[in-house]
Structures are given as C-alpha cells and as structure tokens.
Amino acid sequence: MLSKKVTELLNKQVNAEFYSAYLYLDFSNYYKDEGLDGYSNWYYIQAQEERDHAMLFIKYLQQNGESITLEAIDKPDKEYKAFIDPLNMGAEHERLVTSMINEIYAAAYEEHDFRTMQFLDWFVKEQAEEEDNADDNVKKFELFGSDSRSLYELDTEMKNRVYTAPSLVLD
C-alpha cells in the first residue's frame, strides 16, 4: 500500500503527463501551421509518449489499489514568436517534469517505498533522455535554423522520427 503523500504525487504526475501531451500537441499544431511538418511530427510523437507515460502512472496506481484522480487539463497558453520558441519551451518543460519525478522519488525514499522507487527508475532514465533530446534540438536549431536550407534539412530529419511505445511493462 502506498502512502498518502506518494499517492497524491503520483496522481499529480498523471495530470502533469496529460498536460505535457496537450502542450506538445500545441507545439505540433504550431509547426504544422508554419509548414514545418518534421517538427510537427516530432512533437506529435512526443505527445503520444507523454500520454503513454500518464497511462503507466495510472496502471501503477491501480495495481497498488489506489484510486485515480483525474483533474481538468489546462489549455496550453504559450505564444510563439519564432520557430525556436517551442523548442526552448519544450526543454524548460522537460526540466520541470524531471523535478516532479525527483520529488516523487524523494517522497518514496522517505517512506521506504522501494517498489515505487523501482517503478520510477525507468522514468528517471527516461527524463535524462528527454532533456538530452530537447537540449539537442535547441542546439541544432541555434546552429542551423537561421539558414533556410539547413532548416529544411533539420525539418526533414525530424520527419523521420517514428513512434516507439515505452519499454516499461507493468503486469
């Protein structure tokens, strides 16, 4: 049985992951409207990943006999003035999500909840990858995004990304 604090934080994370999916869909829509189909694809897939992360948290809570509390998902209220804006916002958002995962991990550690810590190990690794990818996207855009040919190449590279379901399996 999970502690009340850990359960609350896990429920909060469910909603944060769904918000992340909304945010990345908003980024995807922006890039689609701007004719950058590759960047749109990248964030569309990112949204799918975030939705799946939420579902993993839900499944974990259910497997531990806990109720799920779904809250309203806020509408993303971001304004984009330049193509790099969603990339910077995405990197910042990933750092926020990492801090939330770390908060849950710390609470589980305080409670000697080793099962939850083990469950979160995958997310800790995943967040490191997410931050690296987001930072890499920003760096590439800063280096090459101002040149139209290079931007075309970056967009083409982003178009090649395919969706892969999370490797964490809960049964």
Side-chain angles (χ1 to χ4, degrees), residues 115-128:
R115 182 185 314 153
T116 298
M117 291 167 58
Q118 183 179 24
F119 167 72
L120 291 172
D121 284 342
W122 183 87
F123 287 96
V124 170
K125 182 180 175 192
E126 175 71 5
Q127 279 309 121

Side-chain angles (χ1 to χ4, degrees), residues 5-6 9 12-13 96-110 120:
K5 181 176 182 177
V6 169
L9 289 170
K12 181 179 173 187
Q13 192 65 36
L96 171 67
V97 172
T98 297
S99 72
M100 295 175 75
I101 298 291
N102 290 342
E103 182 182 6
I104 304 167
Y105 202 100
Y109 180 79
E110 287 175 16
L120 291 172

Side-chain angles (χ1 to χ4, degrees), residues 27 33 46-47 53 80 90-91 102 156:
F27 293 174
D33 290 345
Q46 201 62 23
H53 294 169
Y80 316 114
N102 290 342
T156 300

Side-chain angles (χ1 to χ4, degrees), residues 9-156:
L9 289 170
L10 289 167
N11 265 296
K12 181 179 173 187
Q13 192 65 36
V14 167
N15 290 286
E17 298 291 343
F18 280 130
Y19 173 77
S20 296
Y22 267 37
L23 180 65
Y24 293 149
L25 280 175
D26 196 53
F27 293 174
S28 176
N29 292 336
Y30 165 75
Y31 283 125
K32 188 71 167 174
D33 290 345
E34 295 296 329
L36 293 170
D37 294 344
Y39 282 92
S40 176
N41 175 64
W42 201 90
Y43 276 111
Y44 184 81
I45 289 170
Q46 201 62 23
Q48 289 176 298
E49 284 188 7
E50 303 303 338
R51 179 207 58 215
D52 285 351
H53 294 169
M55 300 304 285
L56 289 169
F57 280 102
I58 288 171
K59 190 171 186 179
Y60 181 76
L61 283 163
Q62 290 171 336
Q63 288 176 338
N64 284 279
E66 300 296 340
S67 296
I68 312 304
T69 305
L70 296 176
E71 303 290 341
I73 307 300
D74 291 335
K75 177 181 182 257
D77 62 350
K78 307 294 183 195
E79 289 186 32
Y80 316 114
K81 296 179 180 160
F83 293 149
I84 197 169
D85 289 347
L87 298 173
N88 283 323
M89 292 171 189
E92 180 183 330
H93 185 73
E94 289 301 336
R95 287 187 285 277
L96 171 67
V97 172
T98 297
S99 72
M100 295 175 75
I101 298 291
N102 290 342
E103 182 182 6
I104 304 167
Y105 202 100
Y109 180 79
E110 287 175 16
E111 300 287 336
H112 301 278
D113 182 351
F114 303 111
R115 182 185 314 153
T116 298
M117 291 167 58
Q118 183 179 24
F119 167 72
L120 291 172
D121 284 342
W122 183 87
F123 287 96
V124 170
K125 182 180 175 192
E126 175 71 5
Q127 279 309 121
E129 182 181 312
E130 297 285 9
E131 285 189 44
D132 287 346
N133 287 337
D135 290 340
D136 188 49
N137 288 341
V138 169
K139 287 175 190 170
K140 284 181 180 178
F141 196 93
E142 288 174 342
L143 286 170
F144 308 112
S146 61
D147 174 70
S148 60
R149 287 183 187 187
S150 296
L151 179 57
Y152 177 79
E153 291 295 323
L154 286 173
D155 192 56
T156 300

